[in-house]
Amino acid sequence: MSTVQRVSEQGPSGPNAPGRRPSARRIVVVGNGMVGARFVEEVARLDPEGERVHVTVVGAEHQPAYNRVLLSGVVAGDYTPDQIRLPVPQTPGVSVRLGVGATALDTAERRVDLDDGTHLVYDELVLATGARAAFPPITGVSAPDGEPGEGVTALRDLADCERLLALARPGAPVVVLGGGVLGLEAARGLAGRGARVSVVESSPWIMRRQIDQSAARVLADCYEDLGVSVHSWRVASRWIPGTGLVLDDGRVLPGDALVVTAGVRGNIELAKEAGIEVEHGVLVDDFLATSDARVHAIGDCAQHPGGGAGLVQPGWEQASVLASRLTGAAPQARYAGARPLTRLKAQGIELTAFGLVQEEELGPQVETVTVSDPHGRRYAKLAVSEDRVVGAVLLGFPQAAASLSQLYDTGAPVPADRLALVQGLPTAAAQEDAAGAAPALVCRCNAVSRDDIEQAWLDGARTRESIAERTRATTGCGGCVRDVNALLAGMGGGRSTEPVG
Ligand SMILES: Cc1cc2nc3c(=O)[nH]c(=O)nc-3n(C[C@H](O)[C@H](O)[C@H](O)COP(=O)(O)OP(=O)(O)OC[C@H]3O[C@@H](n4cnc5c(N)ncnc54)[C@H](O)[C@@H]3O)c2cc1C
């Protein structure tokens, strides 16, 4: 059953929203996830009276949009589902239809068919359909119809979260299939709830795409300390409900539940069946247009040459660029691609990684500085080329993670004392100021700089909540909460212990 918020919708051939101004162009957004919802928020900000555009959003999930990034925090018990809701704009130019899926797209008629038997007509269509969990073809893991097998769940939406928490009682054995960022976050959260967790990764090491092998060894030790067993370079051959996961070497890892975190697949079928060009995502250019100029794609379902799918910051940037274009606020706005940075959200483990870090990526012109302290569960690797940071892995070095990611973002020159930098000594900020480089980003998810936060403070924001309200800092992955609190403390302001979201 569908839920309608604010303006109720049309019958099969009526206008998309009865309250729409006749001159307002009709934008239909398919997908009410993190990026679709941000697009709508941006449109409402740029066209608050709905004079230029009217947006109708359809979302297959039954609940209002929420911060998906914080689902691992829900698993860990740090947030309740209510605490991760995203803001819903209350403006005349926006209609949201929940629990409604788009089933087909007719680009000639500019029409979207919905699973409640109605349809929407658009002037511009925005695909923000995101991605879904990929289930590997292993006996017992998924049924022939693609549904998860008994005792098996993904971790992609709130419904998965509820299923997982029902399966993973304290003391229960749980297997996590996939030792990437998501799997490791889930494993940490479940271990914190008292489950006995094993992680299986088919690559030679965990977080294979983000960190090097030496870092992964130390990271695996951090997990073993928490009682989580890590099995890298092991292929799963069968899931037996009520027993566990059988590995290729014959071992059986006991499990009441199997959490599959083995990658995602873009929801591209609507576009593909309508004849729009797709590869693993819907192909878009710098204007976020697809091969059909009236159809746009943003977020995890989009494939831009400069990347960005799978991370919220590029998706939010795309949402902002497209809203500026379609409202006419900045018709020439462009999306230039992403510079991904990974921060593991696992309580008690400080891990940040970005740029070039794998041995095979580092050519002879790249200098590296490495500090390995397995006993102290710390590891740092810095890669520098032509005096600029080009990559780093920082496990257990939060100060260095902050200063190096700022140097990476701003492109400021690296101080001569590389070792001091890796240890987190305060040489970076001085260099950056001296170089007159771009102001350092504090909240990467929302591209909020230190200058923006200082300005918000000058404008009267004295708590983290009011800083968040003015700048959006801390409302993404939550990784910058400590930095914002520190800035506030430095400026003589307060802080807050309220959850983010
Ligand atoms: C547990 C977890 C932790 C994460 N942590 C991080 C992190 O720390 N940092 C980071 O950058 N990223 C993280 N991510 C990834 C991040 O959540 C995604 O990049 C982001 O959610 C993408 O937003 P989106 O709107 O494109 O897709 P989604 O958020 O997936 O939303 C797509 C929406 O479209 C709906 N939909 C799909 N098809 C249709 C249809 N035909 N009709 C109607 N509705 C449809 C779906 O139901 C869904 O609600 C994490 C993801 C998960 C699951």
Short mmCIF file of all heavy atoms in Angstrom, two decimals, residues 29-37 58-61 66-73 100-103 114-115 128-132 155-157 181-182 185 264 267 270 298-302 308-316 341 343-345 445 477, ligand 1:
data_model
loop_
_atom_site.label_atom_id
_atom_site.label_comp_id
_atom_site.label_asym_id
_atom_site.label_seq_id
_atom_site.Cartn_x
_atom_site.Cartn_y
_atom_site.Cartn_z
N VAL A 29 11.18 12.27 -9.87
CA VAL A 29 12.38 11.61 -9.34
C VAL A 29 11.99 10.19 -8.98
O VAL A 29 11.04 9.97 -8.22
CB VAL A 29 12.90 12.33 -8.07
CG1 VAL A 29 14.15 11.66 -7.54
CG2 VAL A 29 13.14 13.81 -8.34
N VAL A 30 12.72 9.21 -9.50
CA VAL A 30 12.48 7.82 -9.13
C VAL A 30 13.55 7.41 -8.13
O VAL A 30 14.73 7.36 -8.46
CB VAL A 30 12.52 6.89 -10.36
CG1 VAL A 30 12.22 5.45 -9.94
CG2 VAL A 30 11.50 7.34 -11.40
N GLY A 31 13.12 7.15 -6.89
CA GLY A 31 14.04 6.76 -5.83
C GLY A 31 14.11 7.83 -4.77
O GLY A 31 14.50 8.97 -5.05
N ASN A 32 13.69 7.46 -3.55
CA ASN A 32 13.69 8.41 -2.45
C ASN A 32 14.75 8.02 -1.42
O ASN A 32 14.50 7.98 -0.23
CB ASN A 32 12.28 8.43 -1.81
CG ASN A 32 12.11 9.55 -0.81
OD1 ASN A 32 12.65 10.64 -0.98
ND2 ASN A 32 11.37 9.28 0.26
N GLY A 33 15.94 7.68 -1.92
CA GLY A 33 17.05 7.33 -1.03
C GLY A 33 17.83 8.58 -0.67
O GLY A 33 17.33 9.70 -0.77
N MET A 34 19.10 8.39 -0.28
CA MET A 34 19.89 9.53 0.21
C MET A 34 20.08 10.60 -0.87
O MET A 34 20.06 11.79 -0.59
CB MET A 34 21.27 9.05 0.66
CG MET A 34 21.20 8.19 1.89
SD MET A 34 22.81 7.89 2.60
CE MET A 34 23.15 9.44 3.42
N VAL A 35 20.25 10.17 -2.11
CA VAL A 35 20.57 11.13 -3.17
C VAL A 35 19.30 11.75 -3.76
O VAL A 35 19.24 12.96 -3.98
CB VAL A 35 21.47 10.47 -4.23
CG1 VAL A 35 21.72 11.39 -5.40
CG2 VAL A 35 22.80 10.06 -3.59
N GLY A 36 18.27 10.92 -3.98
CA GLY A 36 16.99 11.46 -4.45
C GLY A 36 16.46 12.49 -3.45
O GLY A 36 16.01 13.58 -3.83
N ALA A 37 16.52 12.15 -2.16
CA ALA A 37 16.00 13.05 -1.13
C ALA A 37 16.82 14.35 -1.08
O ALA A 37 16.27 15.44 -0.89
CB ALA A 37 16.02 12.36 0.23
N VAL A 58 8.93 9.38 -6.29
CA VAL A 58 8.36 8.09 -5.93
C VAL A 58 9.47 7.22 -5.34
O VAL A 58 10.58 7.15 -5.87
CB VAL A 58 7.71 7.36 -7.13
CG1 VAL A 58 6.48 8.12 -7.61
CG2 VAL A 58 8.67 7.14 -8.27
N GLY A 59 9.15 6.59 -4.20
CA GLY A 59 10.14 5.75 -3.53
C GLY A 59 9.54 4.39 -3.20
O GLY A 59 8.44 4.31 -2.64
N ALA A 60 10.25 3.33 -3.56
CA ALA A 60 9.72 1.98 -3.34
C ALA A 60 9.66 1.63 -1.85
O ALA A 60 8.81 0.85 -1.44
CB ALA A 60 10.58 0.97 -4.09
N GLU A 61 10.55 2.20 -1.05
CA GLU A 61 10.51 1.90 0.38
C GLU A 61 9.29 2.60 1.00
O GLU A 61 8.90 3.67 0.54
CB GLU A 61 11.80 2.35 1.07
CG GLU A 61 13.00 1.51 0.64
CD GLU A 61 14.27 1.86 1.39
OE1 GLU A 61 14.38 1.52 2.57
OE2 GLU A 61 15.15 2.49 0.79
N TYR A 66 15.93 8.06 4.76
CA TYR A 66 16.79 7.99 5.95
C TYR A 66 18.25 7.92 5.51
O TYR A 66 18.54 7.68 4.33
CB TYR A 66 16.42 6.78 6.83
CG TYR A 66 16.44 5.46 6.09
CD1 TYR A 66 17.59 4.70 5.97
CD2 TYR A 66 15.28 4.99 5.46
CE1 TYR A 66 17.60 3.51 5.27
CE2 TYR A 66 15.28 3.80 4.75
CZ TYR A 66 16.44 3.06 4.67
OH TYR A 66 16.45 1.89 3.96
N ASN A 67 19.13 8.16 6.48
CA ASN A 67 20.56 8.16 6.22
C ASN A 67 21.08 6.72 6.20
O ASN A 67 21.39 6.14 7.24
CB ASN A 67 21.26 8.99 7.31
CG ASN A 67 22.73 9.19 7.02
OD1 ASN A 67 23.34 8.38 6.31
ND2 ASN A 67 23.30 10.23 7.55
N ARG A 68 21.17 6.16 5.00
CA ARG A 68 21.56 4.75 4.84
C ARG A 68 22.96 4.47 5.39
O ARG A 68 23.24 3.38 5.89
CB ARG A 68 21.52 4.42 3.33
CG ARG A 68 21.44 2.96 3.01
CD ARG A 68 21.28 2.71 1.51
NE ARG A 68 20.12 3.34 0.94
CZ ARG A 68 18.88 2.88 1.02
NH1 ARG A 68 18.65 1.76 1.66
NH2 ARG A 68 17.87 3.52 0.47
N VAL A 69 23.83 5.46 5.27
CA VAL A 69 25.21 5.32 5.75
C VAL A 69 25.24 4.93 7.23
O VAL A 69 26.15 4.24 7.69
CB VAL A 69 25.92 6.67 5.54
CG1 VAL A 69 27.22 6.74 6.30
CG2 VAL A 69 26.14 6.93 4.06
N LEU A 70 24.22 5.37 7.98
CA LEU A 70 24.23 5.12 9.42
C LEU A 70 23.55 3.80 9.79
O LEU A 70 23.37 3.52 10.98
CB LEU A 70 23.56 6.30 10.16
CG LEU A 70 24.30 7.64 9.99
CD1 LEU A 70 23.61 8.75 10.77
CD2 LEU A 70 25.76 7.55 10.43
N LEU A 71 23.21 2.97 8.78
CA LEU A 71 22.60 1.68 9.11
C LEU A 71 23.57 0.81 9.92
O LEU A 71 23.15 0.05 10.78
CB LEU A 71 22.19 0.93 7.84
CG LEU A 71 20.92 1.43 7.14
CD1 LEU A 71 20.64 0.59 5.91
CD2 LEU A 71 19.73 1.41 8.08
N SER A 72 24.88 0.93 9.61
CA SER A 72 25.82 0.13 10.42
C SER A 72 25.79 0.60 11.87
O SER A 72 25.99 -0.19 12.79
CB SER A 72 27.24 0.13 9.85
OG SER A 72 27.46 1.13 8.92
N GLY A 73 25.48 1.90 12.07
CA GLY A 73 25.31 2.42 13.44
C GLY A 73 24.05 1.89 14.09
O GLY A 73 24.01 1.69 15.30
N VAL A 100 5.80 3.30 -3.47
CA VAL A 100 5.40 3.20 -4.89
C VAL A 100 6.65 2.98 -5.74
O VAL A 100 7.60 3.76 -5.66
CB VAL A 100 4.71 4.51 -5.36
CG1 VAL A 100 4.29 4.39 -6.82
CG2 VAL A 100 3.49 4.82 -4.50
N GLY A 101 6.63 1.94 -6.54
CA GLY A 101 7.77 1.66 -7.41
C GLY A 101 7.47 2.04 -8.85
O GLY A 101 6.34 1.90 -9.31
N ALA A 102 8.49 2.53 -9.55
CA ALA A 102 8.35 2.78 -10.99
C ALA A 102 8.64 1.47 -11.70
O ALA A 102 9.62 0.78 -11.38
CB ALA A 102 9.34 3.84 -11.42
N THR A 103 7.78 1.10 -12.65
CA THR A 103 7.93 -0.20 -13.31
C THR A 103 8.38 -0.09 -14.75
O THR A 103 8.95 -1.03 -15.30
CB THR A 103 6.59 -0.97 -13.28
OG1 THR A 103 5.57 -0.11 -13.80
CG2 THR A 103 6.23 -1.39 -11.87
N LEU A 114 3.75 3.30 -12.80
CA LEU A 114 3.98 2.96 -11.39
C LEU A 114 3.27 1.67 -11.02
O LEU A 114 2.29 1.30 -11.67
CB LEU A 114 3.48 4.11 -10.50
CG LEU A 114 4.07 5.49 -10.83
CD1 LEU A 114 3.47 6.56 -9.93
CD2 LEU A 114 5.60 5.48 -10.69
N ASP A 115 3.75 1.02 -9.94
CA ASP A 115 3.17 -0.29 -9.60
C ASP A 115 1.82 -0.19 -8.92
O ASP A 115 1.22 -1.20 -8.58
CB ASP A 115 4.17 -1.13 -8.78
CG ASP A 115 4.57 -0.47 -7.47
OD1 ASP A 115 3.97 0.56 -7.11
OD2 ASP A 115 5.47 -1.01 -6.81
N ALA A 128 17.20 8.07 -9.49
CA ALA A 128 18.04 8.01 -8.28
C ALA A 128 17.70 6.69 -7.59
O ALA A 128 17.34 6.65 -6.42
CB ALA A 128 17.74 9.20 -7.37
N THR A 129 17.79 5.61 -8.38
CA THR A 129 17.31 4.31 -7.91
C THR A 129 18.36 3.54 -7.11
O THR A 129 18.07 2.42 -6.63
CB THR A 129 16.87 3.44 -9.12
OG1 THR A 129 17.91 3.50 -10.11
CG2 THR A 129 15.59 3.96 -9.74
N GLY A 130 19.54 4.09 -6.95
CA GLY A 130 20.54 3.48 -6.07
C GLY A 130 21.01 2.11 -6.52
O GLY A 130 21.11 1.82 -7.73
N ALA A 131 21.30 1.27 -5.55
CA ALA A 131 21.85 -0.06 -5.83
C ALA A 131 21.26 -1.05 -4.85
O ALA A 131 20.62 -0.66 -3.87
CB ALA A 131 23.37 -0.01 -5.68
N ARG A 132 21.45 -2.32 -5.14
CA ARG A 132 20.97 -3.37 -4.21
C ARG A 132 22.13 -4.32 -3.94
O ARG A 132 23.10 -4.36 -4.71
CB ARG A 132 19.78 -4.10 -4.81
CG ARG A 132 20.07 -4.79 -6.13
CD ARG A 132 18.82 -5.44 -6.69
NE ARG A 132 19.07 -6.11 -7.95
CZ ARG A 132 19.05 -5.51 -9.15
NH1 ARG A 132 18.83 -4.21 -9.23
NH2 ARG A 132 19.28 -6.21 -10.26
N LEU A 155 22.65 -6.12 3.97
CA LEU A 155 22.56 -4.94 4.84
C LEU A 155 22.51 -3.72 3.93
O LEU A 155 23.51 -3.06 3.68
CB LEU A 155 23.77 -4.88 5.79
CG LEU A 155 23.80 -3.66 6.72
CD1 LEU A 155 22.53 -3.53 7.54
CD2 LEU A 155 25.01 -3.73 7.65
N ARG A 156 21.31 -3.47 3.39
CA ARG A 156 21.18 -2.34 2.46
C ARG A 156 20.09 -1.37 2.90
O ARG A 156 20.18 -0.19 2.66
CB ARG A 156 20.84 -2.88 1.06
CG ARG A 156 20.71 -1.83 -0.02
CD ARG A 156 22.04 -1.17 -0.34
NE ARG A 156 21.87 0.07 -1.08
CZ ARG A 156 22.85 0.85 -1.51
NH1 ARG A 156 24.11 0.51 -1.29
NH2 ARG A 156 22.61 1.96 -2.15
N ASP A 157 19.04 -1.91 3.56
CA ASP A 157 17.97 -1.01 3.96
C ASP A 157 17.50 -1.32 5.38
O ASP A 157 18.00 -2.26 6.02
CB ASP A 157 16.82 -1.04 2.94
CG ASP A 157 16.24 -2.42 2.75
OD1 ASP A 157 16.32 -3.23 3.69
OD2 ASP A 157 15.71 -2.71 1.66
N VAL A 181 34.42 -2.73 3.43
CA VAL A 181 34.09 -1.75 4.46
C VAL A 181 32.76 -2.10 5.13
O VAL A 181 32.67 -2.14 6.36
CB VAL A 181 33.99 -0.34 3.82
CG1 VAL A 181 33.58 0.68 4.86
CG2 VAL A 181 35.31 0.05 3.18
N LEU A 182 31.75 -2.39 4.33
CA LEU A 182 30.43 -2.66 4.88
C LEU A 182 30.44 -3.90 5.78
O LEU A 182 29.89 -3.89 6.89
CB LEU A 182 29.45 -2.83 3.71
CG LEU A 182 28.00 -3.04 4.05
CD1 LEU A 182 27.50 -1.93 4.94
CD2 LEU A 182 27.17 -3.08 2.77
N GLU A 185 32.20 -3.15 9.05
CA GLU A 185 31.37 -2.33 9.94
C GLU A 185 30.27 -3.17 10.57
O GLU A 185 29.99 -3.06 11.77
CB GLU A 185 30.77 -1.16 9.16
CG GLU A 185 31.81 -0.13 8.76
CD GLU A 185 31.25 1.08 8.03
OE1 GLU A 185 30.02 1.16 7.80
OE2 GLU A 185 32.06 1.95 7.68
N VAL A 264 27.60 -4.58 -4.46
CA VAL A 264 26.26 -4.10 -4.83
C VAL A 264 26.14 -4.06 -6.35
O VAL A 264 27.14 -4.08 -7.07
CB VAL A 264 25.97 -2.68 -4.26
CG1 VAL A 264 25.91 -2.70 -2.75
CG2 VAL A 264 26.96 -1.65 -4.77
N ASN A 267 20.77 -0.31 -9.67
CA ASN A 267 19.40 -0.54 -10.15
C ASN A 267 19.22 0.21 -11.48
O ASN A 267 18.78 1.35 -11.51
CB ASN A 267 18.38 -0.05 -9.11
CG ASN A 267 18.41 -0.91 -7.86
OD1 ASN A 267 18.57 -2.13 -7.94
ND2 ASN A 267 18.28 -0.29 -6.71
N LEU A 270 15.26 -0.04 -15.22
CA LEU A 270 14.30 0.90 -15.82
C LEU A 270 14.92 1.57 -17.03
O LEU A 270 14.31 1.66 -18.10
CB LEU A 270 13.96 2.01 -14.82
CG LEU A 270 12.75 1.93 -13.93
CD1 LEU A 270 12.60 3.24 -13.18
CD2 LEU A 270 11.50 1.63 -14.74
N ILE A 298 21.57 10.11 -11.01
CA ILE A 298 22.47 10.56 -9.93
C ILE A 298 22.58 9.46 -8.87
O ILE A 298 21.70 8.62 -8.75
CB ILE A 298 21.98 11.89 -9.28
CG1 ILE A 298 20.51 11.78 -8.84
CG2 ILE A 298 22.16 13.07 -10.21
CD1 ILE A 298 19.98 13.04 -8.13
N GLY A 299 23.68 9.52 -8.12
CA GLY A 299 23.84 8.57 -7.01
C GLY A 299 24.36 7.23 -7.46
O GLY A 299 25.00 7.09 -8.51
N ASP A 300 24.06 6.21 -6.67
CA ASP A 300 24.65 4.88 -6.88
C ASP A 300 24.25 4.23 -8.20
O ASP A 300 24.91 3.30 -8.65
CB ASP A 300 24.25 3.95 -5.74
CG ASP A 300 25.12 4.13 -4.51
OD1 ASP A 300 25.95 5.05 -4.51
OD2 ASP A 300 24.96 3.34 -3.55
N CYS A 301 23.14 4.69 -8.83
CA CYS A 301 22.74 4.05 -10.10
C CYS A 301 23.47 4.69 -11.29
O CYS A 301 23.40 4.18 -12.40
CB CYS A 301 21.23 4.14 -10.29
SG CYS A 301 20.61 5.81 -10.61
N ALA A 302 24.15 5.82 -11.06
CA ALA A 302 24.76 6.56 -12.18
C ALA A 302 26.22 6.13 -12.37
O ALA A 302 26.91 5.79 -11.41
CB ALA A 302 24.69 8.05 -11.90
N GLY A 308 32.37 7.79 -8.54
CA GLY A 308 31.59 8.34 -7.43
C GLY A 308 30.50 7.42 -6.94
O GLY A 308 30.02 7.59 -5.82
N ALA A 309 30.10 6.41 -7.74
CA ALA A 309 29.02 5.52 -7.28
C ALA A 309 29.49 4.75 -6.06
O ALA A 309 30.66 4.38 -5.95
CB ALA A 309 28.63 4.56 -8.40
N GLY A 310 28.58 4.54 -5.12
CA GLY A 310 28.90 3.77 -3.93
C GLY A 310 29.25 4.63 -2.73
O GLY A 310 29.44 4.12 -1.63
N LEU A 311 29.35 5.94 -2.95
CA LEU A 311 29.67 6.86 -1.85
C LEU A 311 28.68 8.01 -1.84
O LEU A 311 28.25 8.48 -2.89
CB LEU A 311 31.08 7.43 -2.02
CG LEU A 311 32.22 6.43 -1.86
CD1 LEU A 311 33.53 7.06 -2.28
CD2 LEU A 311 32.32 5.94 -0.42
N VAL A 312 28.38 8.47 -0.64
CA VAL A 312 27.32 9.46 -0.54
C VAL A 312 27.78 10.86 -0.96
O VAL A 312 27.00 11.61 -1.57
CB VAL A 312 26.71 9.44 0.88
CG1 VAL A 312 27.61 10.07 1.92
CG2 VAL A 312 25.37 10.10 0.85
N GLN A 313 29.02 11.22 -0.68
CA GLN A 313 29.43 12.60 -0.99
C GLN A 313 29.32 12.92 -2.49
O GLN A 313 28.73 13.94 -2.87
CB GLN A 313 30.86 12.85 -0.45
CG GLN A 313 31.40 14.23 -0.72
CD GLN A 313 32.04 14.35 -2.10
OE1 GLN A 313 32.63 13.41 -2.59
NE2 GLN A 313 31.92 15.52 -2.73
N PRO A 314 29.83 12.04 -3.37
CA PRO A 314 29.66 12.35 -4.81
C PRO A 314 28.19 12.40 -5.21
O PRO A 314 27.80 13.25 -6.02
CB PRO A 314 30.38 11.20 -5.51
CG PRO A 314 31.26 10.59 -4.48
CD PRO A 314 30.65 10.83 -3.16
N GLY A 315 27.37 11.52 -4.63
CA GLY A 315 25.94 11.52 -4.95
C GLY A 315 25.28 12.82 -4.52
O GLY A 315 24.46 13.39 -5.26
N TRP A 316 25.65 13.31 -3.35
CA TRP A 316 25.07 14.58 -2.88
C TRP A 316 25.55 15.74 -3.76
O TRP A 316 24.81 16.68 -4.02
CB TRP A 316 25.42 14.81 -1.41
CG TRP A 316 24.49 14.05 -0.48
CD1 TRP A 316 23.38 13.34 -0.85
CD2 TRP A 316 24.58 13.96 0.94
NE1 TRP A 316 22.78 12.82 0.27
CE2 TRP A 316 23.49 13.16 1.37
CE3 TRP A 316 25.48 14.45 1.89
CZ2 TRP A 316 23.27 12.88 2.72
CZ3 TRP A 316 25.26 14.16 3.24
CH2 TRP A 316 24.17 13.39 3.64
N LEU A 341 37.38 9.00 -0.30
CA LEU A 341 38.12 8.79 0.94
C LEU A 341 37.28 7.84 1.78
O LEU A 341 36.07 8.01 1.88
CB LEU A 341 38.32 10.12 1.66
CG LEU A 341 38.99 10.09 3.03
CD1 LEU A 341 39.85 11.35 3.23
CD2 LEU A 341 38.00 10.00 4.18
N ARG A 343 36.50 6.04 5.42
CA ARG A 343 36.70 6.07 6.87
C ARG A 343 35.88 4.92 7.43
O ARG A 343 34.67 4.88 7.23
CB ARG A 343 36.17 7.39 7.40
CG ARG A 343 36.92 7.93 8.55
CD ARG A 343 36.35 9.25 9.00
NE ARG A 343 37.14 10.40 8.63
CZ ARG A 343 36.63 11.58 8.31
NH1 ARG A 343 35.33 11.76 8.28
NH2 ARG A 343 37.41 12.59 8.02
N LEU A 344 36.53 3.97 8.07
CA LEU A 344 35.80 2.82 8.61
C LEU A 344 35.02 3.26 9.84
O LEU A 344 35.59 3.85 10.76
CB LEU A 344 36.80 1.71 8.98
CG LEU A 344 36.21 0.38 9.38
CD1 LEU A 344 35.57 -0.33 8.18
CD2 LEU A 344 37.27 -0.52 10.01
N LYS A 345 33.71 2.99 9.84
CA LYS A 345 32.89 3.36 11.00
C LYS A 345 32.79 2.14 11.92
O LYS A 345 31.81 1.40 11.87
CB LYS A 345 31.50 3.82 10.54
CG LYS A 345 31.56 4.97 9.51
CD LYS A 345 30.20 5.55 9.22
CE LYS A 345 29.20 4.61 8.59
NZ LYS A 345 29.59 4.01 7.30
N CYS A 445 31.42 14.82 3.44
CA CYS A 445 30.14 14.39 2.85
C CYS A 445 29.40 15.58 2.28
O CYS A 445 28.76 15.50 1.24
CB CYS A 445 29.26 13.70 3.89
SG CYS A 445 29.92 12.14 4.48
N CYS A 477 28.19 10.93 7.16
CA CYS A 477 28.62 9.69 7.80
C CYS A 477 28.90 9.87 9.28
O CYS A 477 29.08 8.90 10.00
CB CYS A 477 29.87 9.14 7.10
SG CYS A 477 31.36 10.09 7.43
C1 LIG B 1 25.29 0.05 5.77
C2 LIG B 1 25.85 1.03 4.78
C3 LIG B 1 26.89 1.87 5.15
C4 LIG B 1 27.40 2.81 4.24
N1 LIG B 1 28.42 3.63 4.64
C5 LIG B 1 28.86 4.58 3.81
C6 LIG B 1 29.87 5.51 4.24
O1 LIG B 1 30.38 5.46 5.37
N2 LIG B 1 30.26 6.50 3.37
C7 LIG B 1 29.71 6.59 2.12
O2 LIG B 1 30.07 7.50 1.38
N3 LIG B 1 28.77 5.71 1.68
C8 LIG B 1 28.33 4.72 2.49
N4 LIG B 1 27.37 3.85 2.06
C9 LIG B 1 26.85 3.99 0.67
C10 LIG B 1 25.74 5.05 0.63
O3 LIG B 1 24.71 4.69 1.53
C11 LIG B 1 25.19 5.13 -0.79
O4 LIG B 1 26.22 5.61 -1.61
C12 LIG B 1 23.99 6.08 -0.87
O5 LIG B 1 22.94 5.62 -0.07
C13 LIG B 1 23.51 6.19 -2.33
O6 LIG B 1 22.32 6.92 -2.36
P1 LIG B 1 21.26 6.69 -3.55
O7 LIG B 1 20.11 7.59 -3.24
O8 LIG B 1 21.94 6.77 -4.84
O9 LIG B 1 20.78 5.18 -3.38
P2 LIG B 1 19.93 4.55 -2.20
O10 LIG B 1 20.25 5.22 -0.91
O11 LIG B 1 20.16 3.07 -2.34
O12 LIG B 1 18.42 4.87 -2.55
C14 LIG B 1 17.79 4.41 -3.72
C15 LIG B 1 16.32 4.35 -3.43
O13 LIG B 1 15.61 4.13 -4.64
C16 LIG B 1 14.58 3.22 -4.43
N5 LIG B 1 14.22 2.61 -5.71
C17 LIG B 1 14.97 1.77 -6.47
N6 LIG B 1 14.30 1.43 -7.59
C18 LIG B 1 13.12 2.07 -7.55
C19 LIG B 1 11.99 2.11 -8.40
N7 LIG B 1 11.96 1.44 -9.56
N8 LIG B 1 10.93 2.86 -8.05
C20 LIG B 1 10.95 3.56 -6.88
N9 LIG B 1 11.98 3.55 -6.02
C21 LIG B 1 13.06 2.82 -6.35
C22 LIG B 1 15.16 2.25 -3.42
O14 LIG B 1 14.12 1.55 -2.75
C23 LIG B 1 15.92 3.20 -2.50
O15 LIG B 1 15.10 3.68 -1.47
C24 LIG B 1 26.86 2.89 2.94
C25 LIG B 1 25.82 2.01 2.55
C26 LIG B 1 25.32 1.10 3.45
C27 LIG B 1 24.20 0.18 3.02
#
